[in-house]
Amino acid sequence: MKLESISIAGNNSTQSGVGKKFLIISISMTVLLNLSVAIWFFRYVQQNGLDKFLIR
């Protein structure tokens, strides 16, 4: 009986670049979300002050 190696990711999956595209999209969306939260925070602090943000 001869054992053969089984590869989970075939040759075509590394050439398509789906994982790379997904990584780029997910990183860019994470950066966009963090940037929008930071912009909201700075605008809120400018309007209301840091004390109102910390103590409600």
Side-chain angles (χ1 to χ4, degrees):
M1 181 186 269
K2 188 176 181 182
L3 295 176
E4 296 180 11
S5 65
I6 301 172
S7 77
I8 296 172
N11 292 337
N12 292 336
S13 65
T14 57
Q15 293 175 356
S16 65
V18 175
K20 195 175 200 179
K21 290 177 187 176
F22 177 75
L23 185 66
I24 290 171
I25 290 172
S26 62
I27 289 174
S28 62
M29 292 202 52
T30 303
V31 168
L32 186 66
L33 177 67
N34 290 339
L35 189 63
S36 66
V37 170
I39 289 171
W40 171 85
F41 175 74
F42 286 126
R43 289 183 65 199
Y44 185 86
V45 168
Q46 283 180 347
Q47 289 177 356
N48 300 320
L50 190 59
D51 291 338
K52 188 162 184 175
F53 180 78
L54 295 175
I55 301 169
R56 199 164 252 272

